[in-house]
Amino acid sequence: MIDDLERAIEAMLFASDTPLDARQVAGRLGDEMTPGEIRTIIQTIAARHAGSGIELVERGGHWHFQTPADLAHLLRRERDDPRKLSRAAAEVLAIVAYHEPVSRAEIEAIRGVQTSKGTLDVLMEAEWIAPAGRREVPGRPLIYKTTDAFLQHFGLTSRKDLPGIDDLRAAGLLDPVDLAFEEAMGELDLVKDGEEA
Amino acid sequence: MIDDLERAIEAMLFASDTPLDARQVAGRLGDEMTPGEIRTIIQTIAARHAGSGIELVERGGHWHFQTPADLAHLLRRERDDPRKLSRAAAEVLAIVAYHEPVSRAEIEAIRGVQTSKGTLDVLMEAEWIAPAGRREVPGRPLIYKTTDAFLQHFGLTSRKDLPGIDDLRAAGLLDPVDLAFEEAMGELDLVKDGEEA
Amino acid sequence: MEELPLDFEIVPAAPERDDALQLSLESWEGPLDLLLTLARSQKVDLKQISILGLVEQYLTFIAEARELKLEVAADYLVMAAWLAYLKSALLLPKDPLEDPSPDELALRLQLRLQRLAAMREAAARLLARDRVGRDVFLRVKPEGLRDIKVRRWDASLYDLLSAYGQVKLRSEPVVHMVSRRPVITLDAALHHLQRMIGVKLDWAELSDFLPADYDGPLRRSAIASSFVAALELARQGRVDLKQEGAFEPLYLKAAGA
């Protein structure tokens, strides 16, 4: 027998057209429940559905039901056509996700090429990136970050789930070139060896 | 452990934009399954969800997931939207209360201005006035009276509790607005002085 | 590091010497992208790449493109000029005073290529994830959570009564009330003067007949009405009046006294 509160939260998450976080669930229950208590119940529900044809997943602190990825071949239909991204848009999205918050100039420094206005627009229209204020440097450029919709679309529980982000950070590949340059000066000999080989 | 076929059918029913019948499910599975066999599996899925916050229901041989009817109140939450009654509506309400039963033409004669239909509608929506038949005069106009909800809202036992004209005059409620306003402002000054002391 | 294929567009293959000329420059997202593709053809980790070799590859590629009269965008030519400078600097005997040194420039280029390569792979891995609408599916028409606003009209008894007061006030006939000013009427002045005239036997000034405690508007009113009363008594032959000239004090006494 599933208890009433668990049923209620399950129905809410099932009926909602957007993923819900614990606070939203608590607010709608109008009950004296803490978000922590709600989360415990949500995890019970998720566990109950584990291994079934419907799973409850967490994306950026928000939960929603979806089908398991291994059943994609049965469910994929002609009309399912997730937004095709240009290579430029895919790269810009990756740079925003791995470096956020990041300005357009910083994106361009990594890509070595100007970013057309349309590229950022496509990503903002998809609601995968959003402006996140301004960088307090001369010119006060707009900076961008990824959204919860980004996490949801790409099946990420949080930004920590970004593929390989820990390795990239450890290798210093998320540091600006200037910083990496200072650190790498000692390795110059290696480079020269490579050239001579 | 839920078997693969059951998972697949569950995911299909979940992700479908229309309810599916056993034949459609069999078609999508591309398997050598009879509709009867599919139905048996669907019933297993329905039984697994029974009593939870998600139910699988049959409608004319087609199946779909929905939230249980008894939890509808959580999904369609009613929220109070308090609105202050307009001055015009307050005047009309007062006239009905003091002169009931009264027709719209009579209300207008007393107010000296036209009364929009919307004003009466608001008072009827608030359930403070209600039609009380028709006046037996040419045109047979609708007449209005106040309701029990009116008495309850304004804390009156009966209409006889409404103060008479002399009481209103004594209370300063028949003073011209400007004068009453100045007096009120004088009182405010007194209050301020008191606070400063 | 293994490079994952992108699912959205064909990544241009690392150009072999022979088919390099088949490729248009539009295949690249700028000169850094072209450099990275050329670097990949060295089939070594970017850390071990020969920058001098890469420079050669790039300059050859651009030269061939121009021979074919392909339009080469300005930023590719700027990069070519910079790489030609880098090449000569790397080949010439080291000048210890040169800052930054060619080795430092080469290192910076290598670091930039590594960063771009890292993001290129990250993009590919991101797009290869189980994506909503392609690999995982949501409900198509969820019931949705809705807040339905229920209007609650609010008014106090005071609002009601003051509204009625205003209606009454508007509909009552307008009456002008003139407040009473302090005056001495002609009747009062006549009565007073007649009494005083019997007491005073000799000529006396009009103002002497007025009570001493009258002042301000009341005194002005008393003078006016007493004057009219004096004229009336004179007409009846009951007092005599005398005045030396215009605006001089007015004297009166009982007639025949």
Side-chain angles (χ1 to χ4, degrees), chain B residues 175-194:
Chain B
D175 291 345
V177 176
D178 289 354
L179 203 63
F181 177 73
E182 276 169 24
E183 278 171 16
M185 291 309 285
E187 279 174 14
L188 276 182
D189 287 344
L190 277 175
V191 173
K192 266 194 289 181
D193 290 347

Side-chain angles (χ1 to χ4, degrees), chain B residues 16 19 22 33-34 37 63 78 80 82 88 105 114-115 145 153-156 163 170 177 190 194:
Chain B
S16 175
M33 303 275 297
T34 66
E37 287 167 330
W63 298 77
E78 295 196 347
D80 276 3
Q114 284 217 335
T115 299
K145 62 174 176 59
H153 180 91
F154 290 95
L156 301 164
V177 176
L190 277 175

Side-chain angles (χ1 to χ4, degrees), chain C residues 73-94:
Chain C
D75 48 350
Y76 289 84
L77 297 177
V78 169
M79 177 65 87
W82 186 81
L83 289 175
Y85 161 78
L86 178 62
K87 176 183 164 185
S88 62
L90 284 169
L91 292 174
L92 288 171
K94 300 270 183 286

